[in-house]
Amino acid sequence: MLDPIVEFFTRVFHWIGRGIGLLIAWILWPFMAAGRWYTRRGWIIRGSIGLVLLAIVGFYGYFFWQTQVWTGFNPDYVAEYNLDARGVSAGEQTAATQGGETRTCGRSAIVDVTADLTDFNVNDNAWISSMLLYKLGFFFALDWDDTPFFDNKASFQRGINQAVRRSAIELVDALGRVRGTSQIDRDLQNARGALTFDEETWYFGLSPFGPKTPTPSFYRSAIRDLRSFNGRLETCEAVFDARADNLIQYLDRIASDLGSTSDLLRQRSENYNSGWFDTRADDRFWFAYGQLYAYYGLLKAAGADFEDVIKQRSLGSLWDTTEEQFRAALQVQPAIISNGREDGWIMPTHLATMGFYILRVRSNLVELRLVLDR
């Protein structure tokens, strides 16, 4: 009785194995044919082709390394600034000589963090979005953002860049000038223009044969301009207007930015429930994570720059709670991003989880703004 059953399954597995073998042979045939052609060529042709293949392998190896290694990534990076011990608002005079010729003012922590986050993106790490292989896509046919791999770091960097762009705009429009009575600061204006440059452009020039500059070079120039502004601010040659209405506006902009990201997560979570097989879920998640990563440091910096305002309005406890919620969101670091149903029990829903954290910190930002506006 068992012999026919055993024979049946033996034949089934035989044909399955044969089918797999034929599939592998079909996949490997072009490579085997190319290998036979290669071995029949002369040493000059073989050497030239070998060098080209070696360069391609090295090119892709560098790309894969840069997309997988996150140099300097540290959710607790704000602790290195020791801002709680600073004790002076941005732009506030801290010292002066008897003659009044030499003065010292407080640096802007927002400017420092903005510059350092940009430095983290383009100097500590390679800027992935404008790398040639990233722009060419997967086998020159599929955008890396549409694949489940090699795009998480790029999305994370773009999330950080979104936050520093917003901060640069606010520095130019309100924080780095006395509203209505002073000109726009030159260094801040240059930094804003550089940071708003297209983050995915590889090379840019006025003509096909003219000088061309990759996107990271624009961001590096922004770092120099931001640090130049802070250097002048430290010698009281620049302005940082640490007023309550400016802080209200800055919190409004952050809350609005996070609200847009929350809606982006909501739409993806509601309309796609492919679990681990949603190839765009990781982009949405790591973009949101990058924003929270950057805004965590920028909010801490704003607490230092507007120290007097926070003390006068008795916001210390609420401000600390908001910072703690930002840090709690950065604890969510799944190895594989899943966009499952909210009531599912096999595949988790990381987008909904991240959306929850964003709404929570946004709620606290709105509360901070309400207290400041009383």
Side-chain angles (χ1 to χ4, degrees):
M1 187 68 180
L2 293 176
D3 289 343
I5 297 176
V6 172
E7 184 178 355
F8 171 76
F9 280 105
T10 301
R11 289 184 178 181
V12 169
F13 286 119
H14 169 75
W15 285 108
I16 292 175
R18 187 172 181 181
I20 294 174
L22 290 174
L23 178 63
I24 294 175
W26 179 76
I27 294 173
L28 294 179
W29 177 82
F31 299 98
M32 296 176 66
R36 288 193 295 269
W37 178 88
Y38 179 75
T39 56
R40 294 171 184 167
R41 304 302 101 184
W43 66 270
I44 295 179
I45 295 177
R46 283 187 293 177
S48 301
I49 294 175
L51 289 174
V52 171
L53 291 176
L54 185 63
I56 293 174
V57 170
F59 203 25
Y60 271 94
Y62 174 77
F63 172 71
F64 294 152
W65 172 265
Q66 290 297 339
T67 57
Q68 299 308 303
V69 178
W70 298 29
T71 303
F73 173 80
N74 177 17
D76 291 314
Y77 71 97
V78 297
E80 299 175 1
Y81 291 95
N82 196 25
L83 294 175
D84 292 332
R86 197 173 76 159
V88 58
S89 296
E92 180 183 350
Q93 184 171 318
T94 58
T97 59
Q98 292 183 349
E101 297 179 357
T102 303
R103 296 183 297 166
T104 303
C105 294
R107 293 172 62 88
S108 167
I110 292 177
V111 172
D112 277 333
V113 172
T114 301
D116 290 344
L117 286 170
T118 308
D119 186 63
F120 165 77
N121 263 350
V122 298
N123 292 326
D124 294 345
N125 296 273
W127 179 253
I128 305 299
S129 295
S130 64
M131 290 180 70
L132 178 59
L133 284 180
Y134 193 84
K135 294 183 67 62
L136 290 176
F138 183 64
F139 285 106
F140 311 103
L142 185 64
D143 194 312
W144 285 109
D145 287 338
D146 294 325
T147 70
F149 33 77
F150 303 126
D151 57 350
N152 290 349
K153 186 176 179 180
S155 298
F156 172 72
Q157 289 179 318
R158 289 196 291 262
I160 291 177
N161 201 44
Q162 174 72 12
V164 301
R165 278 176 173 173
R166 169 52 56 195
S167 296
I169 292 171
E170 291 308 307
L171 284 166
V172 171
D173 291 344
L175 303 179
R177 58 187 295 213
V178 178
R179 189 175 302 173
T181 60
S182 67
Q183 295 181 349
I184 294 175
D185 186 88
R186 180 188 65 257
D187 287 328
L188 293 180
Q189 176 81 330
N190 292 338
R192 178 177 67 175
L195 287 171
T196 53
F197 185 75
D198 181 8
E199 57 197 9
E200 296 184 351
T201 297
W202 178 39
Y203 278 89
F204 171 80
L206 298 177
S207 70
F209 307 102
K212 299 183 179 183
T213 307
T215 292
S217 294
F218 280 86
Y219 298 160
R220 292 188 182 103
S221 71
I223 296 171
R224 293 191 294 269
D225 292 327
L226 289 168
R227 290 177 175 162
S228 173
F229 168 82
N230 243 355
R232 291 190 297 109
L233 182 62
E234 198 168 18
T235 57
C236 305
E237 297 175 4
V239 174
F240 189 97
D241 197 8
R243 296 201 319 255
D245 59 334
N246 282 340
L247 179 56
I248 289 173
Q249 180 172 309
Y250 187 46
L251 294 178
D252 276 342
R253 298 298 186 268
I254 296 176
S256 177
D257 205 10
L258 292 176
S260 297
T261 301
S262 174
D263 187 60
L264 189 71
L265 293 175
R266 179 193 60 79
Q267 291 184 25
R268 192 71 193 182
S269 180
E270 289 180 355
N271 299 323
Y272 301 88
N273 297 122
S274 304
W276 292 306
F277 304 101
D278 183 357
T279 59
R280 296 308 300 265
D282 56 342
D283 308 336
R284 304 294 192 266
F285 179 91
W286 285 109
F287 178 84
Y289 190 100
Q291 271 190 304
L292 290 173
Y293 185 93
Y295 278 135
Y296 174 44
L298 289 166
L299 186 72
K300 186 74 173 180
D305 283 353
F306 291 88
E307 181 179 355
D308 291 341
V309 173
I310 292 172
K311 286 181 179 178
Q312 291 168 6
R313 303 296 177 91
S314 302
L315 282 172
S317 179
L318 181 56
W319 195 277
D320 291 342
T321 300
T322 307
E323 291 177 1
E324 290 169 2
Q325 291 182 356
F326 268 96
R327 180 60 185 87
L330 301 181
Q331 290 291 104
V332 185
Q333 300 178 33
I336 301 176
I337 308 302
S338 173
N339 182 24
R341 292 176 57 89
E342 293 184 13
D343 58 353
W345 61 280
I346 295 178
M347 296 182 184
T349 172
H350 293 127
L351 295 190
T353 301
M354 182 56 70
F356 163 75
Y357 277 108
I358 288 180
L359 288 177
R360 194 168 72 163
V361 300
R362 186 176 182 276
S363 175
N364 267 64
L365 290 172
V366 171
E367 189 175 355
L368 282 171
R369 187 233 187 272
L370 291 174
V371 174
L372 282 166
D373 202 25
R374 288 173 186 169

